[in-house]
Amino acid sequence: MNYIIPSLARVTVNSTAGLVGRPSIEVDGTSFALNGRNVSYRFHVDAQTGDIILTHFGGPVTEDPVQDPSANGGGWSTQMHLRREFPDLGRGDFRTPAVRIKQSQGHTVSGFRYKSHQVVAGKPPLPGLPCTFGGADKEEEGVETLVLHLWDECSSVAADLAYSVFPEHDAVVRSVSITNRGSGPITVEKLASLSVDLPHDEYEMLQLQGEWSRECTRTRRKVDYGLQGFGSTTGYSSHYNNPFLSLVSPDTTESHGDAWGFSLVYSGSFLVEVEKSPQGLTRALIGMNPSQLSWPLGPGETLVSPECVSIFSSAGIGAMSRKFHRLYRRNLIRSRFVNETRPVLLNSWEGLHCDFDGDTIYKLAQESADLGARLFVLDDGWFGDRYPRVDDRAGLGDWTVNPRRFPDGLRSLVDRINKLKVAGSDQPLQFGLWFEPEMISKKSVLYEEHPEWVLHAGEYPRSETRQQLVLNAALPEVQDFIIRSVANILDTVPVTYVKWDNNRGMHESPAPENHHAYMLGMYRVFEELTTRFPNVLWEGCASGGGRFDAGILQYFPQSWTSDNTDALDRVHIQFGTSLVYPCSSMGAHVSAVPNEVTGRVTPIRFRAHVAMMGGSFGLELDPSRIPAEDKARIPDLIRLAEKINPIVIRGDFWRLNLPESSNYPSALFISEDGREAVLFAFQIRATTVHNFPLLKLQGLDPRATYRLDGERTLSGATLMNGGVQLRFGTDYDSKVLLLERVD
Ligand code: DGJ
């Protein structure tokens, strides 16, 4: 047998917890090892073909595993047995490729061979795209980047694979760039950010699929022979599928087993492909959606892919999620609010929709302050003069205040609102405002003046959704208009929070490549506005969670998780979203019952407890129209939300019981220093003559002593191995318990 055992064994095993004392990137000739604390990612250059061959991506190893890469019994092709890091097209690898280039001669064959490499300290930014950041200097980070330069000598096209290692997070981040060094034009038809070939084994794939009001539904299925996949063609990451994939072993659970997570740092259309090959290898690809790419590259031009963050955990899906959360809080979200507690807010949408005037808004703001909210948010319906936005049929694009609703102007309203004092304090009530700047109504001055700014394809009718069209943000003049419109308001009105909404998908794109050009345009807009207004708390939104992705997190530290505020559904949606995104980034509000979307009635305590699991807790109701006893409970619930918010924002999240499989979903947040924790426990349905289950906590120090809800003290060992039996009453009962380390 032809065993391949390369060297690279210059590292030390310090404990079973992982390998320490080794550089983040080790290079031995043309063999490479990327080392995280608990992960190894290793590949080398095949001497004959110049191809990059993966040898290991998983738990820490000190050398390549013993392996015989050739197929048992030969086979029909020259490449199907290979674990290729950048599978190109047309030379015998019949699996789905990571790259497809239409060369200037018209064919789509590529042949990339290793040419050289370089290692750079830290993490270089990606031009025009959101991306993780990190330094090599800071002792706790040790981020380094390896760039492999590949070259196709037949087409004179270069490909650079950039791998950055975040050793503390067991994360390897990859992006790819293609440069046309030939003399004729080429078209990049497909460019996956990640392509990885896992060895012959059984895997399951975990994804977050859904719809409007049902975002991030956790779905798990077997990886079987053939091609499976999902993605978005909506122009945005979408409600349908989130740009995230996890591969797990069949026996992997929340707290046990191998889990690989792949998260694309991108907000546009994307594609995930998982292919189990005839020889049993599993290939996973994730990147921009090739059906909407066709990116032309003239001589000397480059296309850079978004990056994909890959994280490995051998301790189950929960540990994988926590690594994503920490990485995204520390090395992706740029906002100064990332670690700050968020002001409790009251948003006008579900309470008033577009049906208000200056007086009703001021009254709602007064009620907000009286209940203890710190921020009042004026949602849709405040703008438009010739075509006032009094419902969803007009006004988008005309970002000036409606003079009939607010005769004294927005500034004067906000000045009055700022004079209101938050109950129990002398703090002024802050003001936040809703925008939907990427959109345009046909009934708007903007459409009359600039019909050419709308996405359109020749003579095809410009099809409307929710009576609106999409501005073509690929055009610099549209980007400038959006920046100007939003900045005009922020420069003249003391707005401390912006909700950036986006309520329809893209139709009638003028060209396939316009989709990516649109996203690049929007990233320019986000970059410019968030840099110019760093003290504004920006919240993303797209009919709920239609653009909840790692790309948007770079600019907006939080997003509206779903338009579905039904607390039972929200348990599923928020648990699902937390698979990859930190709870600090979720907006979660208490609304009135019966719920607007589901018609379900749940107690206010349950609604509030569920919303407290999101970093940005708020109310979305008209207090004058809810039962007096519910209203009376709100101030205490706000106080509790504020008390625990620092742990929700900065702590680690442990999903204890999943809502898909338990009548008692539960979760624990543990502060970074381990001294405080908050336990959330829910009962969905009341049962009769049943014992309540013992809820076993996780993540505590077994030797430490904790005080549970200000009363009993128990060891971490007892809390985790013995558990706590909680007594519940009716349907939708809930508890939020505090734990304090006392030794
Ligand atoms: C959709 C958002 O998700 C809602 O929260 C609300 O802002 C409406 N748009 C307003 O039109």
Side-chain angles (χ1 to χ4, degrees):
M1 215 189 278
N2 184 17
Y3 289 121
I4 310 286
I5 313 178
S7 55
L8 265 178
R10 283 182 272 104
V11 290
T12 50
V13 179
N14 220 28
S15 74
T16 49
L19 300 166
V20 295
R22 58 190 179 161
S24 308
I25 294 177
E26 286 177 291
V27 181
D28 183 4
T30 54
S31 293
F32 306 90
L34 315 179
N35 304 315
R37 187 174 275 274
N38 288 294
V39 67
S40 296
Y41 194 128
R42 302 168 67 95
F43 42 78
H44 64 262
V45 178
D46 180 85
Q48 276 179 0
T49 62
D51 210 357
I52 313 295
I53 303 297
L54 180 66
T55 48
H56 177 76
F57 177 28
V61 296
T62 53
E63 55 268 307
D64 285 340
V66 176
Q67 49 197 313
D68 174 4
S70 54
N72 173 11
W76 195 63
S77 122
T78 51
Q79 295 199 352
M80 292 294 278
H81 60 290
L82 297 177
R83 295 173 63 191
R84 305 177 68 209
E85 269 298 279
F86 191 54
D88 49 20
L89 182 67
R91 296 179 303 113
D93 183 343
F94 298 108
R95 293 164 289 181
T96 184
V99 60
R100 188 174 64 239
I101 297 173
K102 188 161 185 195
Q103 309 289 6
S104 49
Q105 303 93 323
H107 61 74
T108 52
V109 179
S110 291
F112 288 106
R113 291 177 69 102
Y114 167 87
K115 194 172 168 207
S116 62
H117 69 267
Q118 72 196 112
V119 175
V120 288
K123 170 74 181 16
L126 291 186
L129 284 163
C131 57
T132 49
F133 49 82
D137 307 341
K138 289 191 226 154
E139 213 177 50
E140 79 277 15
E141 290 207 319
V143 181
E144 289 187 359
T145 300
L146 166 72
V147 186
L148 297 181
H149 302 292
L150 312 184
W151 176 245
D152 178 345
E153 62 184 10
C154 295
S155 63
S156 297
V157 173
D160 283 355
L161 312 183
Y163 295 85
S164 299
V165 189
F166 291 77
E168 287 305 311
H169 304 287
D170 296 330
V172 174
V173 176
R174 189 176 101 166
S175 71
V176 181
S177 62
I178 299 289
T179 303
N180 179 5
R181 298 213 185 283
S183 52
I186 63 170
T187 306
V188 182
E189 294 182 335
K190 180 179 186 184
L191 184 60
S193 303
L194 165 92
S195 49
V196 68
D197 285 346
L198 296 183
H200 182 181
D201 210 338
E202 296 299 319
Y203 302 99
E204 292 182 352
M205 59 193 271
L206 196 55
Q207 73 185 87
L208 295 171
Q209 58 79 31
E211 241 292 4
W212 171 80
S213 80
R214 195 163 30 79
E215 296 89 338
C216 287
T217 305
R218 195 171 155 149
T219 305
R220 186 165 169 166
R221 56 180 147 145
K222 179 178 163 64
V223 173
D224 220 328
Y225 287 95
L227 194 56
Q228 288 161 281
F230 58 89
S232 162
T233 54
T234 64
Y236 310 105
S237 44
S238 90
H239 305 86
Y240 300 146
N241 291 295
N242 199 271
F244 168 73
L245 165 74
S246 175
L247 292 174
V248 297
S249 301
D251 60 352
T252 294
T253 64
E254 277 293 300
S255 52
H256 162 89
D258 287 350
W260 292 261
F262 308 106
S263 165
L264 188 67
V265 186
Y266 191 55
S267 313
S269 296
F270 71 95
L271 181 69
V272 168
E273 292 171 283
V274 178
E275 183 173 14
K276 183 161 181 169
S277 75
Q279 298 191 9
L281 305 182
T282 290
R283 171 168 293 175
L285 303 180
I286 179 166
M288 292 181 281
N289 197 315
S291 71
Q292 298 176 339
L293 189 57
S294 297
W295 193 267
L297 283 185
E301 290 180 342
T302 299
L303 171 66
V304 181
S305 82
E307 64 185 32
C308 175
V309 177
S310 303
I311 281 184
F312 172 76
S313 153
S314 57
I317 297 162
M320 175 197 73
S321 297
R322 285 186 290 281
K323 291 179 196 196
F324 272 113
H325 298 172
R326 283 191 173 208
L327 178 78
Y328 283 178
R329 286 202 308 260
R330 290 184 194 176
N331 302 87
L332 177 67
I333 302 174
R334 283 214 212 113
S335 165
R336 55 156 275 231
F337 294 97
V338 58
N339 286 319
E340 285 189 22
T341 56
R342 310 289 157 81
V344 171
L345 61 84
L346 188 144
N347 176 300
S348 64
W349 180 245
E350 284 199 32
L352 302 180
H353 293 280
C354 287
D355 186 16
F356 56 76
D357 60 20
D359 290 342
T360 41
I361 286 299
Y362 183 70
K363 189 169 155 267
L364 192 59
Q366 264 178 327
E367 298 234 45
S368 311
D370 290 348
L371 288 171
R374 293 181 191 275
L375 167 68
F376 172 74
V377 179
L378 174 52
D379 208 280
D380 199 353
W382 58 269
F383 50 92
D385 183 355
R386 195 182 318 159
Y387 300 102
R389 179 83 169 167
V390 290
D391 53 35
D392 61 12
R393 284 177 296 184
L396 290 170
D398 298 348
W399 299 107
T400 49
V401 73
N402 177 338
R404 281 166 295 285
R405 290 191 158 183
F406 303 99
D408 301 324
L410 194 56
R411 171 80 211 220
S412 134
L413 171 81
V414 179
D415 285 345
R416 286 173 67 214
I417 286 179
N418 287 162
K419 288 204 179 79
L420 295 167
K421 296 279 179 266
V422 175
S425 81
D426 57 3
Q427 275 191 11
L429 183 66
Q430 301 170 42
F431 179 78
L433 195 58
W434 178 96
F435 290 90
E436 194 180 355
E438 295 156 73
M439 298 292 154
I440 178 168
S441 307
K442 264 194 176 161
K443 282 193 196 158
S444 67
V445 175
L446 185 66
Y447 193 73
E448 286 174 357
E449 289 176 356
H450 289 292
E452 78 285 6
W453 281 5
V454 168
L455 279 182
H456 64 284
E459 296 307 309
Y460 284 96
R462 302 171 178 202
S463 49
E464 291 178 73
T465 301
R466 206 198 190 204
Q467 286 95 227
Q468 63 194 58
L469 296 164
V470 184
L471 286 171
N472 186 0
L475 303 173
E477 54 273 34
V478 169
Q479 298 158 23
D480 293 342
F481 166 79
I482 294 177
I483 293 168
R484 218 169 40 243
S485 311
V486 177
N488 273 347
I489 303 272
L490 301 188
D491 277 333
T492 50
V493 181
V495 171
T496 60
Y497 158 107
V498 166
K499 177 175 171 187
W500 188 292
D501 204 349
N502 182 45
N503 284 307
R504 61 158 286 182
M506 291 186 202
H507 304 180
E508 292 99 32
S509 180
E513 72 270 20
N514 199 84
H515 286 273
H516 182 52
Y518 179 105
M519 277 328 305
L520 293 177
M522 284 316 299
Y523 288 141
R524 184 201 145 207
V525 169
F526 295 150
E527 171 79 29
E528 204 155 318
L529 283 171
T530 53
T531 308
R532 224 162 117 184
F533 300 99
N535 296 325
V536 168
L537 173 59
W538 297 85
E539 174 163 313
C541 173
S543 307
R547 197 159 61 181
F548 204 135
D549 55 61
I552 220 76
L553 278 183
Q554 174 110 95
Y555 312 96
F556 301 164
Q558 60 188 54
S559 279
W560 181 225
T561 318
S562 176
D563 276 351
N564 185 346
T565 50
D566 174 284
L568 172 59
D569 285 359
R570 270 303 190 109
V571 176
H572 290 261
I573 293 168
Q574 291 172 205
F575 271 55
T577 307
S578 77
L579 207 54
V580 59
Y581 308 109
C583 296
S584 61
S585 64
M586 295 182 212
H589 300 172
V590 179
S591 57
V593 287
N595 183 270
E596 206 172 81
V597 171
T598 63
R600 190 176 284 125
V601 175
T602 56
I604 188 127
R605 229 166 69 102
F606 183 75
R607 278 176 272 156
H609 285 170
V610 172
M612 279 174 210
M613 289 191 295
S616 178
F617 172 86
L619 307 171
E620 191 150 335
L621 42 77
D622 180 351
S624 66
R625 287 192 291 166
I626 62 170
E629 59 276 22
D630 281 1
K631 188 170 164 182
R633 291 206 168 96
I634 289 178
D636 275 348
L637 291 166
I638 289 182
R639 272 188 283 278
L640 178 61
E642 291 195 325
K643 184 170 176 186
I644 64 172
N645 193 249
I647 309 176
V648 172
I649 292 284
R650 294 189 288 269
D652 278 330
F653 185 59
W654 296 72
R655 293 178 295 262
L656 303 176
N657 289 327
L658 299 180
E660 297 86 54
S661 52
S662 172
N663 189 40
Y664 302 94
S666 53
L668 185 69
F669 286 90
I670 304 178
S671 66
E672 268 183 303
D673 64 3
R675 299 216 62 86
E676 290 173 293
V678 194
L679 176 63
F680 287 87
F682 305 99
Q683 167 175 275
I684 306 304
R685 297 254 166 275
T687 59
T688 56
V689 205
H690 247 137
N691 233 300
F692 293 106
L694 276 150
L695 175 54
K696 292 180 181 166
L697 309 197
Q698 293 177 37
L700 302 174
D701 179 347
R703 290 172 300 274
T705 306
Y706 298 86
R707 176 163 292 116
L708 181 60
D709 222 34
E711 291 174 3
R712 298 186 58 169
T713 55
L714 296 151
S715 72
T718 305
L719 288 163
M720 293 193 292
N721 300 326
V724 191
Q725 195 172 31
L726 299 172
R727 170 167 288 276
F728 292 98
T730 55
D731 289 356
Y732 310 119
D733 200 358
S734 58
K735 299 192 190 302
V736 175
L737 305 177
L738 302 178
L739 281 119
E740 208 188 327
R741 187 171 171 154
V742 289
D743 54 8

